[in-house]
Amino acid sequence: MIKVCALAALAAMLPGCVRPAVSWKGEVKWPETEQDEQSIKTIVPVTEAEATIAAAAAIREMVRTNTDPGLFWGCSSPAQGMDVAVFTGPTPGLYYVVLGQRFDRCGGPSGRVLDWYYVYAVTPQGEVVAEAPVPPARPPSAPSPSPPSPEPTPSPAGPSLDTGTGTPASAPPPASFPPPAPAPTPAAVPSPASPPTPPQPPAAPG
């Protein structure tokens, strides 16, 4: 009986010691020639290795908590449809990992969900501590009041009058008067240079 239990315990421990099968089936080619070196493209510059552990942990957490089965359609892996950025912030000892959409690598447009982003706080050992809350929606801003209309500038009304206090006072506005009546037309007077015409005698009866 003891032998059977020992064999069972050994069988349970063996899978943890067995190296998992590699999914890559192709041949690995290392850059050896100058032409091979021209194909090298830096994806991630030299950075802290703990930051990459934090990034991988945030990606796993996002995939684990996502319930949309069609979000990663066409991607060879969920990570293919994401970009990642790692920052340090106000909490010492934590990394802030930001995940963004890059579904154009899976086919179609870059974004599949409106305003989609994930931000995680992760320890250097890869433990996701918290996820950033979604910021509350901003209330609609009130319309700005229209600027007051400028007051009309009074037009100058002649010279200012002295009030005796040293402060010139503006002249009072002119009173409204009816338009002056037209002058009477003089009667026609004969010119003195021309003599008056004498009266004509009556014609004699015939």
Side-chain angles (χ1 to χ4, degrees):
M1 182 66 182
I2 298 176
K3 187 177 180 179
V4 174
C5 292
L7 289 175
L10 183 60
M13 293 171 58
L14 281 177
C17 300
V18 176
R19 185 178 180 181
V22 180
S23 60
W24 179 264
K25 302 300 182 183
E27 178 186 359
V28 178
K29 184 178 180 182
W30 300 100
E32 298 175 352
T33 64
E34 184 177 351
Q35 184 177 2
D36 293 338
E37 292 179 356
Q38 292 178 357
S39 65
I40 296 176
K41 178 183 178 182
T42 303
I43 303 299
V44 179
V46 177
T47 185
E48 303 172 16
E50 290 178 334
T52 62
I53 295 175
I59 294 172
R60 286 195 300 267
E61 180 69 12
M62 183 271 165
V63 175
R64 184 185 68 83
T65 57
N66 190 275
T67 57
D68 185 1
L71 181 61
F72 301 107
W73 178 87
C75 300
S76 59
S77 70
Q80 185 187 15
M82 288 184 279
D83 269 350
V84 61
V86 184
F87 303 91
T88 56
T91 306
L94 289 180
Y95 290 104
Y96 297 86
V97 183
V98 182
L99 302 179
Q101 301 184 81
R102 278 302 306 272
F103 291 109
D104 54 312
R105 293 192 287 253
C106 304
S110 176
R112 295 183 179 180
V113 182
L114 184 64
D115 295 336
W116 181 89
Y117 72 96
Y118 290 84
V119 182
Y120 296 97
V122 190
T123 65
Q125 293 75 29
E127 179 186 0
V128 178
V129 175
E131 179 182 353
V134 178
R138 296 182 180 178
S141 57
S144 58
S146 58
S149 58
E151 297 182 359
T153 304
S155 58
S160 58
L161 305 178
D162 191 355
T163 59
T165 60
T167 304
S170 59
S176 300
F177 295 101
T185 305
V189 179
S191 172
S194 57
T197 304
Q200 299 292 331

